[in-house]
Amino acid sequence: MLLLNRFAVSLRHFQKLTKPRRWHHTSLTNELIENMDKKATWDRFYAENGSKGKFKNFEWFFGFHAVQEFILPVIQTMSHFHSHPLHILDMGCGTSALGPCVYKHSPCAVNVTCADISPVAIRLLEEHTNTLSLQSQNPSSVLSFIEMDCTQLRGQFESRSLDLILDKGTTDALVRSNEGRVKAGQIIRQCLQVLRTSGSLLQFSDEDPDARLVWLEREIRETDQAADVGVQEVGELRGVSYFCYQITPRVASHLKL
C-alpha cells in the first residue's frame, strides 16, 4: 500500500505543484516539463529546490517505503544465486532517498550506486546522506554516488555487471519531454546489455500497462537481447495509479543462473 509523502509528486501533477509563483516567477516550470531530457534543466531544478533551506529528499511518485515490498524480495531471491554483493543501480536518482534506503534496509550484501545526470543533485544527495551516517543491515554493503548520463550505461558499467536497476520516474520524465522518447529507448537497450542474465530492471511508473507494455516490448524487439516483461500494480496515490514493470533478460533453458 502506498504511503503518502508530502515531498512525493507525480509527473502528471508536476505543473500544478510548481506554479511559476513558487519558483520566483522564472521559466523553470515550462522549461523542465518540455526538456526533461536535458541536463541543464535538472541542474537548475535541483539548484533552486536545494536553495530553499534545509535539505529534503525530493521523491518523484513516492518514497522507498511504498515499494520496498517490490524491491527487497527481488534482492533476496537474487542473493541465493550469488556469493558477492549484488550490484544495484538507482538510475536517475535525483535527490531521492531510494538508493540510500535500499543500502540501509537490505539484509543481503548490496553495492548500491546512485547515479544522475545532474551533478547538483548528486552533490546534494551525497552530502545529505553523509550527514545521516547511515548504517546498513549488512556490514558488507556499499553505497556510492556518481554523475552519469543514463543513456551511456555501457561507458560506466561492463557488460553483464549489474544485478538490479531501479528506475523511479526517469523513463517517465524522458518520454514526456520533447525529444526524450528516443533516449528512453536507448536506456532500455543499455540496461539489457549491462544486466546480468539473472538480473532485472524495475520501472516504477504511472503510465497505464496498455501503453507501457506495448512500448517496452517494441523497444526490446529492436535489441539482440530477448527479455520478459511483467507488471504489478503498486497502488493509488492522490488519484493516480502506479505500476511496477519488471524487465528480465531471457536466458536459454540450458544456462545456469
Side-chain angles (χ1 to χ4, degrees), residues 34-140:
E34 295 174 1
N35 298 285
M36 286 185 173
D37 60 320
K38 303 294 193 303
K39 173 181 177 296
T41 52
W42 289 113
D43 282 344
R44 187 178 177 191
F45 170 77
Y46 286 113
E48 292 211 18
N49 195 50
S51 67
K52 298 182 183 301
K54 185 178 179 181
F55 176 91
K56 296 180 180 67
N57 295 105
F58 195 94
E59 301 288 353
W60 297 104
F61 298 160
F62 37 69
F64 166 77
H65 295 290
V67 289
Q68 61 180 326
E69 64 188 64
F70 293 89
I71 297 173
L72 296 182
V74 171
I75 294 174
Q76 189 75 37
T77 299
M78 288 181 176
S79 70
H80 295 156
F81 299 102
H82 302 286
S83 57
H84 59 77
L86 298 176
H87 196 169
I88 300 172
L89 172 65
D90 181 6
M91 181 175 64
C93 62
T95 59
S96 168
L98 179 66
C101 283
V102 171
Y103 161 80
K104 177 181 178 180
H105 293 284
S106 172
C108 310
V110 290
N111 178 0
V112 179
T113 300
C114 298
D116 199 275
I117 195 172
S118 170
V120 178
I122 289 296
R123 176 180 57 79
L124 290 170
L125 180 61
E126 184 172 14
E127 289 177 352
H128 174 68
T129 304
N130 288 340
T131 65
L132 299 177
S133 300
L134 292 181
Q135 297 296 317
S136 61
Q137 286 195 34
N138 193 299
S140 297

Side-chain angles (χ1 to χ4, degrees), residues 154-169:
R154 286 299 305 274
Q156 184 69 40
F157 301 104
E158 296 181 359
S159 177
R160 307 290 176 239
S161 63
L162 298 182
D163 296 287
L164 181 63
I165 300 175
L166 303 175
D167 173 356
K168 184 165 71 75

